[in-house]
Amino acid sequence: GAILTALRQAQGQTFDQEKVRGAEAGIKSQWANRQVTLNLTGYWYDYDGLQVSVFDTIARAFRLLNAAKARVRGVEAELRYRPEGVPGLNLHASLAYNDAKFRNFLSDCYAGQTAALGCNQNFNAVTGLFTAQDLSGARLRKAPEFTANFGAYYETPVSSGWKMSLSTDVQYSSSYNYGTNYQPIAFQNAFAKLDATFRLFSEDKRWELAVIGRNLTDKRSLINGI
């Protein structure tokens, strides 16, 4: 919990329980003599009292707040293809749409936020300053609207007792805010990362030589900010 100060008393460090109601529905299917796998899932959840971690700029510590209402809904799709004509080849792709927003939430202001920048709620008569911002309608933190992944894996014999494999994967994420208090500078733009691997291994799996490439597109993605 946060450190108590004259401006942050014990009663300000409590939080309520979180309640959620929702549903998921989906379908799993295989086509073309099981060469193609297609899965679809849809979900819708309504939260009351969603527990959200924020950074208390006065106490300089993290604490939990309750977002009065939040809604998380979306669709996920997964596709896999293993062609019979090319043994050892496996293609895959996935796509997710996630609409995650606060429906009603007063959050702490970030350090340096003025009334003109949105810190215009919960006036504190002692300091003469507002202490909260209205994030109703804002997307949840670290919740990109779109994410996707697609790639390929190929494995084939190269000599008696030995095999080789090649694989590649691309991960994509649309933009999102990663700041604990939604600071404008804590905004992550959309990005894509590429991984690739080459493997030479024995069929009994006792020996393996692998060259592994991670984030070959050299993209830097930020994960937290206070």
Side-chain angles (χ1 to χ4, degrees), residues 36-39 77-81 91-95:
V36 179
T37 298
L38 176 62
N39 301 327
E78 179 186 17
L79 177 67
R80 292 186 176 273
Y81 178 46
L91 306 176
H92 62 270
S94 64
L95 176 65

Side-chain angles (χ1 to χ4, degrees), residues 4 38 57 66 68 75 96 102 114 122 140 156 175 182 212:
L4 301 183
L38 176 62
T57 56
N66 288 98
V75 178
F102 295 115
T114 64
N122 291 355
L140 268 62
T156 184
S175 59
Y182 285 73
I212 302 170

